[in-house]
Amino acid sequence: DAGVIQSPRHEVTEMGQEVTLRCKPISGHDYLFWYRQTMMRGLELLIYFNNNVPIDDSGMPEDRFSAKMPNASFSTLKIQPSEPRDSAVYFCASSLEGVQYFGPGTRLTVL
Amino acid sequence: ELKVEQNPLFLSMQEGKNYTIYCNYSTTSDRLYWYRQDPGKSLESLFVLLSNGAVKQEGRLMASLDTKARLSTLHITAAVHDLSATYFCAVDNSKGGSNYKLTFGKGTLLTVNP
């Protein structure tokens, strides 16, 4: 298996622009997680899905963030409008029975 | 709210030495995970500890879990430079059945010097 796939790997955008991050989980995994990692705040869980249904979005920082999982093999995390404080590495992870497998991450820089 | 505390947060050690990283958590859980992250890379699963008294070993690393003390340890034996990385512990939030939501510690940055 190719593992969790994320795209893009790097994104540089200007404040106010819309950003869409993409994730393809490992086939057969029924949980999908979105995390954000920064030096200041560490690794934060933003939202997670079970069988494509959002279970807990309490970690989503504000209404500018939204996530969808239209099918078992694809999820998006959208930021609109983006702000410099959103600069971070965003990880997607998937799991079947506990162990979470992380994707390579998307490094987002908002200027 | 589940809190997970690791210590130390920074660890500089010499090759060949032994050391232990500690992971304390605040509420009942019997599922704990250890991950490794190399600089600029993703997180890689190292160990899964699923019951009280569980012990797992891989090479120079050994992890254990004491659910009564709410404590896990990651012991490093005869450290080598290749072990330099950030190590995270993560605890399953759920009680009883699992929703597999994890709370991560802040990580321990380990540097092994020659």
Side-chain angles (χ1 to χ4, degrees), chain A:
Chain A
D1 199 313
V4 176
I5 298 172
Q6 291 186 248
S7 64
R9 295 291 305 276
H10 301 272
E11 177 81 28
V12 180
T13 190
E14 292 187 346
M15 183 174 63
Q17 295 298 307
E18 177 179 296
V19 174
T20 299
L21 311 181
R22 297 172 176 80
C23 175
K24 176 179 170 55
I26 294 172
S27 177
H29 283 192
D30 55 355
Y31 282 86
L32 184 139
F33 304 82
W34 282 101
Y35 291 90
R36 177 171 70 176
Q37 187 177 40
T38 62
M39 288 294 293
M40 292 297 294
R41 301 175 68 90
L43 193 64
E44 303 173 277
L45 175 65
L46 301 177
I47 185 172
Y48 76 99
F49 297 82
N50 177 220
N51 292 321
N52 314 336
V53 176
I55 302 300
D56 184 349
D57 66 354
S58 60
M60 297 285 261
E62 47 197 276
D63 292 346
R64 297 185 297 106
F65 286 69
S66 63
K68 294 182 179 180
M69 192 166 184
N71 57 62
S73 59
F74 184 65
S75 178
T76 60
L77 178 67
K78 186 177 293 186
I79 308 172
Q80 165 65 17
S82 59
E83 297 183 3
R85 59 191 167 125
D86 301 331
S87 298
V89 179
Y90 291 80
F91 288 105
C92 174
S94 71
S95 74
L96 178 58
E97 289 182 349
V99 178
Q100 293 183 17
Y101 296 87
F102 282 73
T106 295
R107 182 172 296 275
L108 173 65
T109 302
V110 183
L111 303 174

Side-chain angles (χ1 to χ4, degrees), chain A residues 31 37 56 99-100 102-103, chain B residues 33 35 37 42 48 99-101:
Chain A
Y31 282 86
Q37 187 177 40
D56 184 349
V99 178
Q100 293 183 17
F102 282 73
Chain B
Y33 304 81
Y35 286 83
Q37 185 178 34
S42 186
V48 181
N99 59 17
Y100 304 119
K101 175 181 175 180

